[in-house]
Amino acid sequence: MTAGAGTLSTVVLAPEPYDGAEVAEAVWEYFAETGERIFGRPATDEELREAIAWDDCSELAPPHGVFLGARDTDNTLLGFAGVRALTEAPGTCEFKRIYVRPAARGRGLGRRLLLAAEEEAVLLGARRIILNTRTVLTEARGMYASHGYAEIPRYIDEDWAEHCFAKDLDV
């Protein structure tokens, strides 16, 4: 990963496959960082492999979803976000997996990824977007609240869905 990672204006957000090697490396980093915050210790390789295997992101691809990569001028992956249409809730998309790699933080890339995911949700036919997150992910929860997301009752029956948010999209 490049140290400066370029200016935010040179970062390109575009759909890409979820299964590339560089994406796999960044997803590993995401789960490692999140795991350490949740467990209060580094996650083991076995724990990370289990979490990644359990995390089915097959719906982050057309026609029901999209996986957005954020790349600099050197084509280095700086971050990612995903969105998928919920077939069980027509007109609703779920925002999944936002991550900005450490070298690219502090310049608004998370916000750009969030807004781009909202645009993709509208293109998928959504009028509403929902998401779930963990208590320890305070930065993410703050970003969601500052962008008009309101906390809602849990929409998924999973222990890790400690906070759920929703936002009506301008369509």
Side-chain angles (χ1 to χ4, degrees):
M1 175 134 192
T2 55
T7 65
L8 190 57
S9 63
T10 62
V11 174
V12 175
L13 276 58
E16 64 178 82
Y18 186 78
D19 58 0
E22 193 174 15
V23 170
E25 178 183 330
V27 168
W28 183 273
E29 291 171 13
Y30 165 85
F31 276 100
E33 182 177 330
T34 303
E36 185 166 353
R37 291 177 77 175
I38 292 165
F39 299 140
R41 61 164 173 79
T44 66
D45 286 355
E46 182 179 337
E47 289 168 328
L48 292 171
R49 280 191 295 276
E50 286 176 15
I52 291 168
W54 175 85
D55 185 49
D56 178 20
C57 287
S58 61
E59 292 181 341
L60 299 182
H64 302 292
V66 65
F67 180 76
L68 294 169
R71 293 187 176 271
D72 67 9
T73 54
D74 294 329
N75 204 33
T76 300
L77 184 66
L78 303 177
F80 57 79
V83 64
R84 68 183 184 108
L86 296 178
T87 54
E88 65 275 16
T92 301
C93 276
E94 183 179 35
F95 182 57
K96 302 272 298 173
R97 295 290 167 266
I98 185 167
Y99 182 65
V100 176
R101 295 175 108 174
R105 291 182 185 162
R107 294 178 298 163
L109 185 53
R111 176 183 185 279
R112 278 192 61 197
L113 283 163
L114 177 66
L115 296 174
E118 289 176 3
E119 291 174 12
E120 293 293 336
V122 169
L123 293 174
L124 290 168
R127 296 178 307 280
R128 183 173 198 239
I129 191 166
I130 61 175
L131 63 92
N132 63 75
T133 191
R134 303 290 299 242
T135 299
V136 298
L137 301 178
T138 55
E139 302 89 347
R141 289 188 298 120
M143 182 177 67
Y144 302 140
S146 72
H147 284 89
Y149 286 76
E151 198 150 357
I152 60 170
R154 188 183 288 192
Y155 66 88
I156 185 171
D157 188 24
E158 295 289 349
D159 291 341
W160 45 258
E162 297 169 329
H163 298 274
C164 296
F165 291 85
K167 179 180 179 179
D168 291 332
L169 300 170
D170 297 327
V171 287

